[in-house]
Amino acid sequence: MTTRQLTRPPRLMPTLGKGVLTGMGKRPSPGARLPGTRLVLPAARIDEALVIRYARVCGFRETDPLPITYPHILGFPLAARLMADRDFPLPMLGLVHTRIRIVQHKPLSPTDRPELTVYAAGLAAHRRGTEAEIVTEARLDGELVWEDRSSYLARHRTSPDGAAPGADASAASGVPAASAMATKAADRASATAERAKSLPGAARWPLDPALGRRHAGVSGDYNPIHLYPLTARALGFPGTIAHGMWTFARCVAETGASPAKGVTVQAEFKAPVPLPSHVTYGRLGTDFELRGGRDGALLHLTGKVTTSHES
């Protein structure tokens, strides 16, 4: 794997714009070749005032060490740079964040200057397309103190076994009708099962229309789908939605997991959270979830938090 050392963090929004252009014409497939590039940013600078604002928006206590989710925000411009490269096999426009797993071995402080490393770990077939796993690591004096594995889905037609269709299949009508019906039936059965398994409600949060803009202000990610109804509708959404990393961070903050301990937090993103709305945070043991919609029937996120002695 080739290591490319950066002298400064990439500018996120121009990088995302570049990704839209370089993604044109890409045909994602789990059999595609990943770029063997590892991006490294030595001594990343953390804006302490911005961290305080981030903590307020996401519900972390301001007296904590660096919120466990914040290095993801710090490293995302590098991840975007990697995914915006012409050699990256998935188009950036339309990528969906499906899963995240963060392991914090030791707490980070806003005064630390961690070395950040980002690389693509692999591609996998998904029943709705192809997923890429992006790894972000933070080190202090060469020691790994924090790591994040995030999966991003590029949706496209697939064959009945979940693999991307070949050239002939992609030119045809896509998934056979019987397979499509089976997939929809499985989706309905899964949704019914998830409604029946709801965790005990522990908190209820009203989400106002400006939440997406506040998160953009502390994350630097000004994706139009999180800002205004008009800009969200222009990209095919019925209205504004909350950023997935806000929903994850808010749930992690609510768990109260101490970053002073070795801790692992992970989640699967199930459905977008519309703004404005009300959502219910559920918790039972190490498991948590976020639900919304009518009577709390819509599952937005499921997750788990464990400390080193629970692993």
Side-chain angles (χ1 to χ4, degrees):
M1 184 171 283
T2 302
T3 298
R4 185 187 306 166
Q5 185 162 302
L6 307 179
T7 57
R8 59 185 179 183
R11 295 173 58 199
L12 181 55
M13 295 314 294
T15 300
L16 295 177
K18 174 187 174 184
V20 171
L21 297 176
T22 58
M24 293 179 179
K26 289 184 179 180
R27 300 184 66 181
S29 164
R33 181 178 179 180
L34 279 172
T37 304
R38 186 185 300 261
L39 299 180
V40 177
L41 178 65
R45 184 171 295 277
I46 300 172
D47 185 328
E48 295 184 54
L50 190 59
V51 171
I52 291 174
R53 291 171 51 207
Y54 175 84
R56 290 173 181 167
V57 169
C58 297
F60 292 98
R61 293 191 299 272
E62 295 173 26
T63 55
D64 282 349
L66 198 69
I68 188 174
T69 54
Y70 192 76
H72 176 96
I73 303 298
L74 201 62
F76 187 67
L78 280 75
R81 168 85 171 265
L82 188 74
M83 292 187 285
D85 195 274
R86 175 64 72 179
D87 292 336
F88 189 74
L90 307 185
M92 178 171 282
L93 185 64
L95 280 183
V96 179
H97 198 175
T98 54
R99 290 191 300 276
I100 184 169
R101 183 176 187 269
I102 292 175
V103 181
Q104 182 163 278
H105 303 284
K106 291 184 178 180
L108 282 160
S109 164
T111 58
D112 287 329
R113 297 291 178 261
E115 177 188 84
L116 300 178
T117 301
V118 172
Y119 59 93
L123 293 174
H126 185 281
R127 62 190 177 87
R128 298 192 180 201
T130 299
E131 280 186 326
E133 184 178 63
I134 305 297
V135 178
T136 303
E137 300 171 339
R139 289 177 170 80
L140 290 177
D141 299 322
E143 180 184 5
L144 180 66
V145 294
W146 183 96
E147 55 185 309
D148 165 6
R149 289 180 175 267
S150 284
S151 293
Y152 297 91
L153 170 66
R155 296 183 179 184
H156 58 80
R157 289 177 296 178
T158 61
S159 62
D161 61 1
D168 292 341
S170 65
S173 59
V175 180
S179 176
M181 290 173 64
T183 299
K184 290 179 180 178
D187 287 347
R188 287 195 296 269
S190 176
T192 300
E194 286 171 341
R195 289 188 183 98
K197 294 188 300 182
S198 61
L199 303 181
R204 185 165 171 79
W205 304 322
L207 309 184
D208 66 82
L211 174 61
R213 297 191 291 276
R214 290 200 303 277
H215 185 267
V218 297
S219 68
D221 186 351
Y222 285 86
N223 188 323
I225 65 177
H226 307 307
L227 303 181
Y228 299 98
L230 185 62
T231 56
R233 286 195 291 269
L235 293 176
F237 287 81
T240 319
I241 63 172
H243 200 294
M245 280 306 297
W246 179 87
T247 62
F248 178 55
R250 184 65 188 89
C251 288
V252 171
E254 192 71 15
T255 67
S258 172
K261 304 175 182 177
V263 61
T264 298
V265 289
Q266 59 194 67
E268 291 190 15
F269 301 101
K270 301 290 189 179
V273 177
L275 298 175
S277 64
H278 285 77
V279 292
T280 299
Y281 168 80
R283 177 81 186 272
L284 182 64
T286 61
D287 296 327
F288 61 86
E289 67 181 17
L290 196 67
R291 287 181 176 269
R294 184 177 299 176
D295 300 325
L298 180 60
L299 184 62
H300 295 298
L301 173 152
T302 61
K304 181 182 286 289
V305 55
T306 54
T307 54
S308 54
H309 72 274
E310 295 171 323
S311 302

